Amino acid sequence: MSVLVYAEHDNQTLKAETLKTVAAAQAMGGEITLLVAGHHCQTVAEEAAKVNGISKVLVADNTAYEYQLAENISLLVTALASEHDHIVATALTTGKNFMPRVAALLDVAQISDIIGVESSDTFVRPIYAGNAIATVQSLDSKKVITVRTTGFDAVATDGNAEIVSLDTVTDAGTSSYVSEELTVSERPDLGAASVIISGGRGMQNGDNFKLLEGIADKLGAAIGASRAAVDAGFVPNDMQVGQTGKIVAPDLYIAVGISGAIQHLAGMKDSKVIVAINKDAEAPIFQVADYGIVADLFEALPELESKL
């Protein structure tokens, strides 16, 4: 049995989530091949070769893959599928974009957002916004799977896999890159941060999110937000944590002025330690919090910052 894992990267650095996706692939069993598709991505390939537990790294270095357009990547992965039993990707933007296309091209059912592996054909995934856990068995000859990395620990990077260059170019010619606007921040990436402090509707407006910045700076934390805060226009949507935002599982998650709607809990309840600050003692967030402070956030936050 063999597993093909798609590597998440930005053409310069391998994303940490890939190490957790490989951990999921190891639980499936068999030989693991890592696919790096991009342009001028040799440094990523060299980094990928050090990932523990993989047999080789396939490198597709071409302008067609520079921006990892779903139309082009799905054709590449499908072309490689004949040599692999499992096709695995991280459940992030890129994987969620091209993997359904791969499943459709292979005429199989995709199994999304797995958080556990019971055997080579049986997987565990959350349903109903995480309120229930389903165990799913796939009878398809090819397993197309996306991994929610909060359910797995990263593998080590002490390997030395073979790097193989691919000559295959699969340019569908149906889409093209136009431009991108990226948020620039000195703080850690929300998806990879070990500490996150998030604000909700209780922050009242976007200016009040500055109250979180001093604490975030002292803790080396990323700043997130609930969907209610994003929908209200307090902060941009790339800060959203939840079922329709980023799924996170940091060592410490501080929820400020967040009631704890099920959609938000689905995105952060796997955090190691959860701290909630809310003036409503009946807020659902306290049901999942390890530590709770029933207080006015406008009084609690300056006090917390002064004592850090």
Side-chain angles (χ1 to χ4, degrees):
M1 193 184 87
S2 62
V3 183
L4 179 69
V5 176
Y6 184 83
E8 288 273 348
H9 64 90
D10 59 2
N11 287 315
Q12 297 176 340
T13 307
L14 187 71
K15 289 190 177 180
E17 287 86 352
T18 299
L19 302 180
K20 297 181 179 181
T21 303
V22 170
Q26 288 181 352
M28 298 172 197
E31 187 177 86
I32 301 172
T33 300
L34 202 55
L35 171 62
V36 175
H39 187 47
H40 296 317
C41 55
Q42 190 59 33
T43 55
V44 178
E46 292 170 0
E47 195 176 349
K50 297 178 182 177
V51 176
N52 188 280
I54 64 170
S55 60
K56 62 182 174 181
V57 177
L58 300 179
V59 184
D61 194 327
N62 190 277
T63 53
Y65 309 127
E66 182 173 5
Y67 300 105
Q68 301 179 62
L69 300 176
E71 292 81 358
N72 298 350
I73 296 295
S74 60
L75 292 178
L76 172 65
V77 173
T78 304
L80 297 171
S82 61
E83 302 173 13
H84 303 279
D85 303 294
H86 292 57
I87 314 297
V88 181
T90 309
L92 292 176
T93 305
T94 302
K96 288 181 176 181
N97 201 10
F98 78 82
M99 285 293 271
R101 296 172 183 269
V102 173
L105 290 168
L106 294 175
D107 195 25
V108 299
Q110 177 176 313
I111 302 176
S112 306
D113 283 278
I114 68 165
I115 57 172
V117 178
E118 292 200 354
S119 70
S120 62
D121 66 354
T122 306
F123 312 95
V124 179
R125 62 181 301 268
I127 57 174
Y128 305 133
N131 276 327
I133 303 297
T135 300
V136 182
Q137 184 178 32
S138 172
L139 301 179
D140 290 321
S141 58
K142 302 286 184 185
K143 314 290 191 278
V144 177
I145 300 162
T146 59
V147 177
R148 182 177 292 189
T149 53
T150 55
F152 300 90
D153 294 325
V155 298
T157 53
D158 55 358
N160 186 26
E162 176 190 10
I163 298 177
V164 179
S165 295
L166 298 176
D167 297 327
T168 310
V169 179
T170 53
D171 189 345
T174 55
S175 64
S176 60
Y177 168 82
V178 178
S179 65
E180 62 186 4
E181 295 181 20
L182 302 177
T183 301
V184 179
S185 175
E186 295 180 357
R187 294 195 176 88
D189 176 68
L190 190 59
S194 60
V195 180
I196 296 173
I197 181 168
S198 290
R201 196 196 305 271
M203 299 300 293
Q204 297 183 1
N205 59 58
D207 291 337
N208 288 335
F209 267 76
K210 293 178 181 177
L211 292 170
L212 305 180
E213 293 178 1
I215 297 172
D217 290 339
K218 289 187 175 183
L219 294 176
I223 296 180
S226 68
R227 178 172 180 171
V230 172
D231 286 351
F234 297 170
V235 292
N237 61 9
D238 59 356
M239 292 174 62
Q240 184 176 323
V241 173
Q243 186 180 18
T244 53
K246 291 184 171 68
I247 307 293
V248 299
D251 294 329
L252 172 62
Y253 188 89
I254 304 174
V256 182
I258 295 175
S259 63
I262 186 60
Q263 291 87 351
H264 188 76
L265 298 184
M268 46 64 73
K269 66 182 181 181
D270 289 329
S271 304
K272 303 294 188 295
V273 176
I274 299 172
V275 176
I277 302 174
N278 200 302
K279 65 181 180 181
D280 179 10
E282 301 300 319
I285 191 72
F286 289 120
Q287 295 177 14
V288 299
D290 297 287
Y291 301 94
I293 303 173
V294 180
D296 187 326
L297 67 87
F298 296 105
E299 297 175 3
L301 288 178
E303 184 178 357
L304 174 60
E305 183 179 350
S306 69
K307 292 185 176 181
L308 283 173

